[in-house]
Amino acid sequence: CACVGIECSGSHVKAVAERDTVTAYARLLHRGTTLHVWNVDIKDTTGDLISNVRVTNYIIKQKK
């Protein structure tokens, strides 16, 4: 199968210090046959939220 991003919406809520490490934590909100919706929180090394992103992917089944 192939996955195609059809929507991406994000909010940046805090700046991150130069040379700090950020980590993304993704959580699957909906796993349908053709649509998957993900929520992604991006946090700094202290665990503070930097950004939040919601992504919708369209799943294309390849024909055999």
Side-chain angles (χ1 to χ4, degrees):
C1 76
C3 300
V4 179
I6 60 171
E7 183 178 11
C8 184
S9 175
S11 298
H12 306 296
V13 297
K14 182 180 174 187
V16 64
E18 187 174 349
R19 297 189 188 268
D20 194 0
T21 300
V22 296
T23 304
Y25 300 90
R27 183 171 37 113
L28 184 60
L29 300 177
H30 173 76
R31 183 179 180 169
T33 304
T34 56
L35 291 178
H36 291 181
V37 180
W38 292 85
N39 186 72
V40 183
D41 287 333
I42 296 108
K43 297 183 179 186
D44 64 11
T45 53
T46 64
D48 288 341
L49 182 66
I50 302 301
S51 299
N52 174 265
V53 181
R54 181 171 289 210
V55 180
T56 303
N57 292 321
Y58 181 70
I59 311 304
I60 302 169
K61 305 271 184 183
Q62 295 179 349
K63 296 179 182 180
K64 295 180 181 180

